Amino acid sequence: MTLLAPGLSTQLHPSVTSRIPNELYDAVISHFHADKPSLTTCTLVCSSWLPRARHLLLTSARITRHARARSFLELISAPRNLGTFAPVIRSLEIYSSARVNPKAHVQRLPALKRVYVSCVARYFGPGKCLQIAEWGAWFRPRAIQLTDLALGHATLGELLEFVEMLPEFEALRHLALIGVNWLDASLPSNEAHGEMRFPDIRSLILSGQSIHLVPYLSAHGVSITKLDLRVGRHKSDEVLAREAEDIHQYMCLLAPNIQELDLHDGSYQG
C-alpha cells in the first residue's frame, strides 16, 4: 500500500498493512461516501481498496442515449465484470432518448433498488400500448427488492391489472406514475381486493388517470405520508372543479397520515 501526502509518497511494507483491520479501511473509505474525487483516489490506493470504494462510487446508472445503453449493457454483461460493476449499482434511470427495452438491464443488476424509466413509447413506437404483463416482465426479477419505482410518459393497458401486480413489490416505498395514459383506468369496488396485501407505499407521485390510485390504496390500508399530484394545464373550468373536488376527497382520506402534499400545475419533465 502507498500512502500519499503533499509532496510525499511512502510505500508501507505488507507486514505493516496486514495488521491493519479491514474495518478501519472501511471506515476511512466510508468517510468519503459523498466525495467522488476522494473515492476515485481511494480506488487507486491498492487492490483491496478498489471494491470498497467502487461500492460507494458506482451506485447509480443514468442512460440517456441509445449507444450508451448498448455500451452499458455490454459492460455489466462481460464475464470479467460480473463481480465488479453490476453488483454495486442500486439505481437505474433510462430516459426517452435511449430508446431501449430496460428488461435486460434490470435483470443484470442484482442489487437494484430504484428504477426510473421514461417514455418507453420511443422504444415500442408511437401509439404503441405497453401491456402490463410485458411491463411486469421487466421488473419481476427484482420485484421483491425494489424500493423506488417510477414510470413516465407511456401508454399502458389496464390500471386494475397494474394494481393486481403491486403486491409482488413487497419492499416498494415510493411509486411514481407521471404522464401515464391507461386504456382502462377503472378500478373495482374496495371489497374486490379485500384480502390483497399491498406493499407499504409511503410516497406517491401521480398525474392524470393514475390519481385514482390514491383513494383505492388508502382504502386498502396503505398509509401514504407524501403525495405529489401533477395537475395538467389548459383544462376547462368544469374539469378543474372536478379535480379540485377529488383532491379535497383525497385529503380527507389521507388526513390521519399525510405529512407532505405537493400540487403542480403543469406536466412533469422526465
Side-chain angles (χ1 to χ4, degrees):
M1 175 185 291
T2 301
L3 295 183
L4 300 178
L8 177 65
S9 176
T10 303
Q11 183 74 36
L12 295 181
H13 193 273
S15 62
V16 176
T17 59
S18 63
R19 296 200 301 268
I20 301 177
N22 288 332
E23 291 80 5
L24 183 57
Y25 294 151
D26 292 337
V28 172
I29 296 171
S30 296
H31 178 74
F32 300 111
H33 69 277
D35 186 347
K36 287 192 175 183
S38 295
L39 284 174
T40 302
T41 301
C42 288
T43 64
L44 305 175
V45 172
C46 65
S47 59
S48 65
W49 280 39
L50 176 59
R52 291 180 169 90
R54 181 190 288 145
H55 183 75
L56 297 175
L57 188 62
L58 303 177
T59 59
S60 63
R62 182 175 183 178
I63 302 173
T64 58
R65 296 180 183 177
H66 188 58
R68 289 181 179 176
R70 293 199 310 270
S71 299
F72 179 69
L73 186 58
E74 292 171 359
L75 176 68
I76 61 178
S77 302
R80 67 181 184 278
N81 294 329
L82 292 181
T84 55
F85 295 104
V88 301
I89 295 176
R90 298 184 289 280
S91 176
L92 175 65
E93 299 178 22
I94 300 179
Y95 288 84
S96 58
S97 53
R99 304 191 312 279
V100 62
N101 184 330
K103 180 179 178 179
H105 296 77
V106 171
Q107 290 180 336
R108 286 169 172 79
L109 299 174
L112 204 58
K113 297 288 187 182
R114 298 175 293 275
V115 178
Y116 173 70
V117 180
S118 171
C119 208
V120 292
R122 296 287 184 89
Y123 175 82
F124 291 100
K128 175 68 182 291
C129 171
L130 176 62
Q131 298 301 319
I132 297 298
E134 189 170 9
W135 178 90
W138 296 355
F139 303 112
R140 269 203 172 97
R142 305 288 172 243
I144 62 173
Q145 67 193 53
L146 288 178
T147 61
D148 296 60
L149 182 60
L151 184 64
H153 308 290
T155 299
L156 299 181
E158 297 181 5
L159 180 57
L160 173 59
E161 192 176 355
F162 174 82
V163 166
E164 291 175 339
M165 191 179 297
L166 278 180
E168 298 181 32
F169 294 80
E170 300 174 5
L172 192 64
R173 297 296 177 266
H174 309 283
L175 174 64
L177 300 170
I178 307 299
V180 175
N181 296 314
W182 302 92
L183 294 185
D184 184 355
S186 61
L187 289 173
S189 63
N190 295 337
E191 291 76 15
H193 288 146
E195 301 300 322
M196 187 173 291
R197 184 178 179 85
F198 289 98
D200 189 19
I201 300 172
R202 295 294 180 174
S203 171
L204 283 175
I205 304 177
L206 305 171
S207 72
Q209 299 165 308
S210 300
I211 66 175
H212 297 312
L213 280 173
V214 176
Y216 192 81
L217 292 177
S218 178
H220 285 81
V222 179
S223 301
I224 301 166
T225 59
K226 179 180 179 180
L227 180 61
D228 185 329
L229 297 180
R230 311 293 171 95
V231 182
R233 299 175 180 174
H234 310 302
K235 294 184 177 180
S236 66
D237 292 341
E238 181 180 352
V239 173
L240 290 174
R242 188 164 59 248
E243 287 184 344
E245 184 177 342
D246 289 340
I247 292 172
H248 175 72
Q249 178 187 1
Y250 300 159
M251 292 306 94
C252 294
L253 288 172
L254 302 177
N257 302 303
I258 196 72
Q259 298 176 8
E260 184 176 343
L261 171 66
D262 293 316
L263 299 176
H264 298 266
D265 180 12
S267 59
Y268 175 75
Q269 298 298 322

